[in-house]
Amino acid sequence: MITFFSEQHVQHAPQHEFFRGERVPCFESPARARYVQQQLVARGHVLREPDADSLMVLAQVHTARYLAFLEGAWADWLALEPGNADRQPFPSVWPVRSLRADVEPANFTARLGLYSMDNGSPVCAGTWAAAKAGADAAVSATRLLHAGEHAVFCATRPPGHHAGADFMGGYCFLNNAAVAAQALRAQGCRRVAVLDVDYHHGNGTQSLFYERADVLFVSLHGDPRTEYPFYLGHADETGRGAGEGFNLNLPLPAGSAASTWFEALDVACARIAWHGADALVVSLGLDTFAGDPISTFALQADDFSRLGERLGRLGMPTVFVLEGGYAAAELGENAVNVIEGFEQAG
Ligand code: Q9C
Ligand code: ZN
């Protein structure tokens, strides 16, 4: 399968995140991209550099002021003090509920809070270029679909599905799946479906399309009562206004067996087939793997082949976008199992 990959994806190298009050190495590491790259090459897949500029589509997905902040964030941080080159910025205040989000403060760590949903999405020197290359890959993939390619894989990091119109979160900065869906719409697809199989609910993607009937969002994930992102992803979120009925959440209890997960996948696929979409975007998180260090589902390596086959049987032009998956050494095998399972079904 044609795959987009950029060296920029390895240059997003944050130092640490917080876990149980302690600073720990980031789960979302540069090594993830290397393992996927290596496995793709080893199994004969073609890697290409993204060749489209996503700026026009990004402006339809994210707000202008969030994009401006993210692009300039590292330079702004360094401008405060040269010694900041070796420091990781951390948000200071979040504008929750009665606080105002319409006025952007001048203070850097306050701005970082304004544009963050959590304390776990570290920005560093390579963040913008890596995230931008991911969005470029998403648009490049949709161009190939438009030219007749059946399926394309974006082997990108950082992931994107937690990022909303004006915020980062959950290791995500630019919402690559939403960029792909929006680009497909702009290229003339009347209806698009986004299927999110990451362990965590794709709150960013859901919120971006929540009031739209043209982009169906379907997600299988750990129940947000106990799992990140906690504040979205419940079964009663079905869409609003014109989008009513075009959002389907299938939360599963933490610790669910693979058989339970595949039953929910059948429900998701049935809804997508019923939507009659012209194209499918898959938010391919692989943190449903039994060996994932921060998740509790139980999929094994061959289950990812099964997942690919099931998606291939939908028979839809498909863009795969890499999301989570933190058992880094197994990430490449699991990802390539999905895309080869898909190819065998087609
Ligand atoms: N500090 C994705 O899979 N919680 N994001 C981590 C340890 C955040 C996962 C808990 C999990 C975000 C794209
Ligand atoms: Zn995840």
Side-chain angles (χ1 to χ4, degrees):
M1 189 178 295
I2 296 175
T3 298
F4 286 105
F5 177 81
S6 165
E7 278 299 313
Q8 298 297 339
H9 299 315
V10 187
Q11 303 305 317
H12 169 65
Q15 298 165 17
H16 51 252
E17 64 178 86
F18 287 85
F19 186 64
R20 295 179 182 151
E22 309 278 351
R23 290 201 300 192
V24 301
C26 292
F27 290 99
E28 203 289 288
S29 68
R32 299 176 64 245
R34 285 283 179 241
Y35 281 114
V36 176
Q37 178 193 27
Q38 282 165 10
Q39 194 67 205
L40 285 162
V41 170
R43 289 160 72 170
H45 296 274
V46 183
L47 296 188
R48 288 194 196 172
E49 285 280 327
D51 52 7
D53 185 351
S54 59
L55 271 183
M56 299 289 288
V57 187
L58 280 171
Q60 295 180 293
V61 168
H62 295 286
T63 66
R65 72 176 197 171
Y66 173 62
L67 291 171
F69 171 75
L70 194 62
E71 183 167 14
W74 190 252
D76 292 350
W77 175 241
L78 288 185
L80 291 176
E81 200 192 306
N84 280 350
D86 302 317
R87 296 192 186 106
Q88 188 170 287
F90 191 70
S92 59
V93 185
W94 288 265
V96 299
R97 295 177 277 280
S98 60
L99 299 180
R100 284 182 68 172
D102 58 322
V103 186
E104 185 182 289
N107 178 279
F108 180 81
T109 59
R111 290 165 74 214
L112 190 54
L114 170 60
Y115 296 117
S116 301
M117 64 174 273
D118 68 3
N119 71 358
S121 308
V123 172
C124 62
T127 301
W128 169 259
K132 173 66 163 49
D136 289 350
V139 175
S140 302
T142 66
R143 299 253 167 99
L144 286 187
L145 249 60
H146 192 64
E149 197 69 26
H150 182 58
V152 181
F153 177 47
C154 299
T156 52
R157 72 172 281 278
H161 74 150
H162 296 304
D166 63 354
F167 60 87
M168 61 188 81
Y171 317 141
C172 302
F173 301 89
L174 298 175
N175 195 314
N176 303 317
V179 165
Q182 188 64 33
L184 287 163
R185 286 286 293 117
Q187 286 169 13
C189 290
R190 299 278 304 274
R191 290 175 167 205
V192 175
V194 180
L195 173 63
D196 191 323
V197 297
D198 188 280
Y199 178 80
H200 307 94
H201 175 252
N203 62 282
T205 317
Q206 169 172 313
S207 65
L208 285 161
F209 298 115
Y210 204 61
E211 300 191 25
R212 288 171 53 170
D214 56 334
V215 179
L216 170 71
F217 179 72
V218 180
S219 180
L220 249 72
H221 49 269
D223 191 327
R225 275 178 264 245
T226 60
E227 307 307 297
Y228 186 93
F230 305 112
Y231 304 107
L232 210 65
H234 300 282
D236 65 354
E237 298 157 13
T238 55
R240 188 187 302 125
E244 180 64 54
F246 294 92
N247 195 91
L248 177 61
N249 282 330
L250 300 166
L252 301 170
S256 288
S259 56
T260 307
W261 193 87
F262 276 99
E263 282 168 27
L265 180 66
D266 275 338
V267 175
C269 288
R271 179 67 188 89
I272 287 165
W274 171 247
H275 186 56
D278 305 309
L280 174 66
V281 177
V282 178
S283 263
L284 184 60
L286 299 147
D287 38 13
T288 51
F289 179 53
D292 195 89
I294 66 169
S295 310
T296 72
F297 288 171
L299 273 65
Q300 302 290 345
D302 58 342
D303 288 321
F304 290 103
S305 307
R306 246 177 97 192
L307 164 59
E309 281 167 38
R310 185 69 191 82
L311 299 179
R313 286 208 303 274
L314 286 169
M316 298 168 68
T318 300
V319 175
F320 289 94
V321 180
L322 185 63
E323 301 282 3
Y326 307 101
E330 289 90 1
L331 188 67
E333 184 190 356
N334 291 340
V336 180
N337 281 357
V338 175
I339 67 173
E340 290 184 355
F342 183 95
E343 285 176 324
Q344 278 157 24

